Amino acid sequence: MSSLSESAEFPADERPIGARAAEGESPLQPAEGASDHGLAAVLPLNPRTEKPAPPVRGTPTADRVVLGERLRRARDRRGLSQERAAAHGKILLPESKLSYSTLSRIESAKTPVSGEIVATLAEVYGIDSRELRELQDLVERGRQLEWFEAPEWEGAVAAHCSTYLGLEPVARELRSYQTTIIPGLLQTPDYACGIIAGHHLAVDEKRAEHRVRARMERQRRFFASPPARTVLMINELALQLTIGGPAVMAAQVRHLLHVADMPSVKVRVVPLDQTIATPVSGLTHLMFQPEGPPEMVYIEGLSSSTYHPADTGEPSARKKVRKGKNASADMESYVQLMLKISQGAAHRRRSMDILTQALKRFEGR
């Protein structure tokens, strides 16, 4: 048994997640009595009555990113800049709106692309018929809606987070760090409501609840099939702030202790004395299967987000068509920052001890 101590015995409602899952209970269902107030009463974490999330075989966002990346690599192999490639494409397809800016957005998956334009670019780049069929398949799959783009979730997810939410389900490895709040994947409904209310003062109760429901749906889908390796790091400061009141925080920390027992998920606390100054409040490092999107670092802000992908083009081709800073330099810098943060994070036993002390502190208030 693995949890707060190797020899600890757990009451029925405090069993580790592994034990609860083995008995047919939802791994993310809060322990009975963990919260009997606020949103938790109406938004349980993955209630047993819900249908399991469908298996993930790819997402429209991932397909669009892969399409853009493959087109970029093909352009690099031809030694063409975006300006020259767009000019050649415009000659072959005069009625199209293909331009340098359009091609840039296609390659970065920021705009949909038609099969006709892809066929034109394939001709410019010398792509054979077999690969063209694969690219056209990506075009069709990329036109589908993500789950959070369905009408029922309208307004529940910030637009600047949509790319990340579309890539998260297909990640092979995920490493995340937050400095002042609990990561969204680990938040309880009441805690999430407190965060949303604090960050978005103009959001009314109905809209806040709508966003919380979307956050719980994201968790349900993620934990139904998490990446093979998931490390979620929390700064100890987040355990000292009282979001929503002591009872809400006690339930939140109790939930962290449960999730930390999942086989493929590691929850680690970065102690205050190991904290290093960072230029961002949170970052996530994503790695994918070889045929998937490129490795990237995601930086989320309150009203905007940035994505820093690895440069997967051939070095010789990149040298011919690109100038200035290497496209992956930012990502490498953030990966090194994440490594330093990871080195300061407490090991499992120590992290559990810190969480247990936080739980006692909130329960004692």
Side-chain angles (χ1 to χ4, degrees), residues 99-150:
S99 64
Y100 156 71
S101 59
T102 301
L103 183 55
S104 176
R105 294 178 63 81
I106 289 172
E107 291 183 358
S108 58
K110 293 179 179 178
T111 190
V113 58
S114 69
E116 187 176 33
I117 287 182
V118 168
T120 300
L121 292 174
E123 186 173 349
V124 173
Y125 300 156
I127 292 175
D128 62 34
S129 59
R130 179 191 61 79
E131 185 175 2
L132 176 58
R133 287 194 296 271
E134 294 175 357
L135 296 179
Q136 296 286 20
D137 188 42
L138 289 171
V139 170
E140 291 302 316
R141 300 206 310 260
R143 288 174 177 165
Q144 305 302 311
L145 294 178
E146 296 285 358
W147 68 264
F148 50 83
E149 294 174 325

Side-chain angles (χ1 to χ4, degrees), residues 28 45 186-188 219 251-260:
L28 290 184
L45 300 181
L186 299 175
Q187 293 175 6
T188 62
Q219 290 182 12
Q252 174 63 72
V253 176
R254 195 176 296 115
H255 180 59
L256 293 177
L257 289 167
H258 281 306
V259 176

Side-chain angles (χ1 to χ4, degrees), residues 52-297:
V56 175
R57 296 186 177 86
T59 65
T61 299
D63 290 331
R64 291 193 294 268
V65 170
V66 170
L67 173 64
E69 184 66 15
R70 290 181 64 171
L71 288 172
R72 184 185 66 78
R73 290 202 301 265
R75 176 176 60 78
D76 278 357
R77 289 194 297 269
R78 271 318 241 201
L80 295 172
S81 66
Q82 289 178 329
E83 293 92 337
R84 289 186 61 195
H88 284 300
K90 189 71 173 177
I91 293 174
L92 293 175
L93 192 64
E95 66 274 18
S96 74
K97 296 182 179 180
L98 188 60
S99 64
Y100 156 71
S101 59
T102 301
L103 183 55
S104 176
R105 294 178 63 81
I106 289 172
E107 291 183 358
S108 58
K110 293 179 179 178
T111 190
V113 58
S114 69
E116 187 176 33
I117 287 182
V118 168
T120 300
L121 292 174
E123 186 173 349
V124 173
Y125 300 156
I127 292 175
D128 62 34
S129 59
R130 179 191 61 79
E131 185 175 2
L132 176 58
R133 287 194 296 271
E134 294 175 357
L135 296 179
Q136 296 286 20
D137 188 42
L138 289 171
V139 170
E140 291 302 316
R141 300 206 310 260
R143 288 174 177 165
Q144 305 302 311
L145 294 178
E146 296 285 358
W147 68 264
F148 50 83
E149 294 174 325
E152 65 182 292
W153 298 112
E154 183 179 359
V157 172
H160 66 89
C161 299
S162 60
T163 297
Y164 173 79
L165 293 180
L167 292 175
E168 184 180 72
V170 296
R172 175 172 56 87
E173 295 187 20
L174 183 153
R175 185 180 296 267
S176 178
Y177 173 64
Q178 289 287 344
T179 57
T180 59
I181 65 173
I182 305 300
L185 284 171
L186 299 175
Q187 293 175 6
T188 62
D190 285 335
Y191 182 93
C193 188
I195 291 294
I196 291 171
H199 285 181
H200 307 278
L201 299 179
V203 175
D204 57 33
E205 183 177 351
K206 185 176 181 180
R207 289 179 62 192
E209 182 176 321
H210 187 46
R211 294 185 179 187
V212 173
R213 288 183 184 277
R215 196 161 296 187
M216 297 303 106
E217 176 65 12
R218 172 197 172 196
Q219 290 182 12
R220 183 181 73 88
R221 290 171 175 269
F222 181 87
F223 286 102
S225 181
R229 179 176 175 81
T230 302
V231 182
L232 303 174
M233 294 181 290
I234 309 166
N235 193 281
E236 189 177 2
L237 176 61
L239 302 173
Q240 297 186 352
L241 303 178
T242 305
I243 306 297
V248 170
M249 288 303 301
Q252 174 63 72
V253 176
R254 195 176 296 115
H255 180 59
L256 293 177
L257 289 167
H258 281 306
V259 176
D261 196 55
M262 294 183 72
S264 61
V265 178
K266 293 183 179 180
V267 177
R268 296 290 183 264
V269 178
V270 179
L272 291 177
D273 60 5
Q274 294 295 319
T275 299
I276 62 174
T278 63
V280 295
S281 60
L283 66 162
T284 302
H285 180 206
L286 298 169
M287 299 183 69
F288 304 90
Q289 298 294 345
E291 68 278 7
E295 175 185 0
M296 68 179 64
V297 170

